[in-house]
Amino acid sequence: MSRELVTVLVASAGAAMVLSAVPAKGLNAYITNSGGNNVSVVDTKTNTITATIPVGDGPGGVAVNPKGTTVYVVNTGNGTVSVIDTKTNKVNPGILSLISAATCVDLDGNRRCVSVADLGAAAGNSTPAALSVPAWAIEPVTELGNDHRRIEGLIAPGTFNVDPSASPQSILTNLISAGAVEYMKSGLVDTAKSMSLSPYDILVVASLVQQEANPQDFPKVARVIYNRLHAHRTLQFDSTVNYPLDRRQVATADSDRALRTPWNTYVAQGLPATAICSPGIDALSAAEHPEQGDWLYFVTIDAQGTTLFTKDYQQHLANIELAKRNGVLDSAR
């Protein structure tokens, strides 16, 4: 297999553009839904379609239509595809699927990729040291045993080179090491000291902010999280319920919220066991510098993303009713 590097663009959950791979021909590309059961690979330099493939082809693919279409396609690699409404921008594909897609090359007419399964095995079975996990994350990573989700969030958003001929462990090690450098540049470690928190806790908070809020509300939502933690209240975020279920939907069922997992913030106080996505710079900044306020609750009340914050529970219930009247499906906070 060629040792030519390909590029994987890791974006945050709220990002508008794609997480994609540079194909074997060297084109910078994204994948877009072309209708029916196909997706098209589009060269971003010329904005022309270079290939059309079945959605079940390959171990993973992500498509975002950059011209405003409200759905994108996630190819999970087992013949299924998720079509996701981008109006909420709360859904992002798994990082291992994105890395796998970035390693795909055409060799002698055959498409070869480092599989999601092999990447997951490396994530779960390699030692933290072998994966270059930063010192501030070793304890929580170790506590999660061999669950591949233990590296969630440690690969920072950004553009990184990936060698498709490298071993799964080597690929993850390089990406996690690069992520640690990016987080260090952001001042995460120093900020954590000033806040009397661990850098890992701030990273986890940032991931919650990324999944739960619109960008304009990131600093306020970060404050709600810290306020609820300080008041010893459960966070009650549906995103933490959905995360280990490998499913993304706005609201969750009572049975889902009752499941005891390391991430479910309905049944346990405190933060989830890991980050639940790779947070973007804005979300990380909000977690490091939350807006001042005494809010304990928030709910989005309309399709435009207007979000109301309050300390008073009765007012929060009234805000929820307003959201229901407006047809917003966000669950109560």
Side-chain angles (χ1 to χ4, degrees):
M1 183 180 292
S2 169
R3 292 188 62 83
E4 178 185 2
L5 295 181
V6 297
T7 300
V8 55
L9 172 63
V10 182
S12 60
M17 277 306 293
V18 226
L19 317 181
S20 67
V22 177
K25 294 181 180 178
L27 299 172
N28 292 306
Y30 60 82
I31 304 170
T32 187
N33 186 3
S34 61
N37 293 320
N38 296 319
V39 293
S40 294
V41 179
V42 181
D43 177 8
T44 57
K45 293 180 180 178
T46 63
N47 205 30
T48 58
I49 294 175
T50 61
T52 299
I53 58 174
V55 292
D57 186 27
V62 182
V64 177
N65 188 324
K67 295 183 179 180
T69 300
T70 59
V71 297
Y72 65 88
V73 177
V74 177
N75 175 4
T76 60
N78 59 3
T80 64
V81 170
S82 298
V83 179
I84 299 152
D85 190 346
T86 58
K87 290 180 180 178
T88 62
N89 246 346
K90 292 177 185 280
V91 180
N92 67 315
I95 186 64
L96 298 184
S97 294
L98 299 175
I99 297 170
S100 175
T103 66
C104 293
V105 294
D106 292 323
L107 186 64
D108 298 328
N110 296 315
R111 189 167 177 79
R112 299 188 181 182
C113 316
V114 177
S115 71
V116 172
D118 287 345
L119 289 167
N125 297 327
S126 303
T127 66
L131 291 172
S132 290
V133 172
W136 48 263
I138 287 179
E139 183 176 350
V141 167
T142 301
E143 287 179 352
L144 212 57
N146 61 359
D147 192 312
H148 69 274
R149 296 178 183 88
R150 64 187 186 151
I151 68 166
E152 188 73 72
L154 295 180
I155 299 175
T159 304
F160 307 99
N161 288 326
V162 174
D163 181 353
S165 68
S167 68
Q169 177 181 299
S170 178
I171 290 171
L172 294 179
T173 297
N174 290 336
L175 289 172
I176 291 172
S177 179
V181 171
E182 293 302 312
Y183 287 136
M184 184 65 73
K185 289 180 182 177
S186 79
L188 175 62
V189 175
D190 291 337
T191 302
K193 290 179 181 178
S194 68
M195 296 177 68
S196 299
L197 293 170
S198 74
Y200 192 79
D201 283 346
I202 294 179
L203 181 65
V204 173
V205 169
S207 75
L208 297 177
V209 168
Q210 186 75 63
Q211 292 289 54
E212 289 286 332
N214 295 312
Q216 66 270 21
D217 294 318
F218 281 177
K220 284 187 175 181
V221 170
R223 176 55 64 190
V224 170
I225 293 171
Y226 290 127
N227 286 347
R228 292 185 71 86
L229 291 173
H230 293 157
H232 303 290
R233 296 172 181 247
T234 53
L235 294 178
Q236 299 185 5
F237 286 164
D238 289 324
S239 57
T240 66
V241 175
N242 282 323
Y243 176 72
L245 300 178
D246 293 325
R247 183 188 67 201
R248 302 292 185 267
Q249 54 192 51
V250 176
T252 54
D254 290 343
S255 58
D256 297 330
R257 293 191 293 272
L259 293 173
R260 187 167 292 278
T261 75
W263 295 272
N264 188 344
T265 56
Y266 277 90
V267 299
Q269 288 186 4
L271 294 170
T274 69
I276 59 173
C277 70
S278 291
I281 296 300
D282 289 347
L284 188 61
S285 177
E288 293 175 337
H289 308 286
E291 188 165 327
Q292 292 301 312
D294 59 0
W295 314 290
L296 292 171
Y297 310 96
F298 66 92
V299 62
T300 300
I301 61 164
D302 58 32
Q304 289 70 47
T306 304
T307 302
L308 300 181
F309 295 79
T310 183
K311 179 183 179 181
D312 182 74
Y313 184 61
Q314 294 304 315
Q315 181 60 55
H316 180 56
L317 293 179
N319 293 342
I320 291 171
E321 291 304 313
L322 178 57
K324 290 178 179 178
R325 290 196 298 272
N326 289 338
V328 177
L329 298 178
D330 288 356
S331 61
R333 297 286 177 251

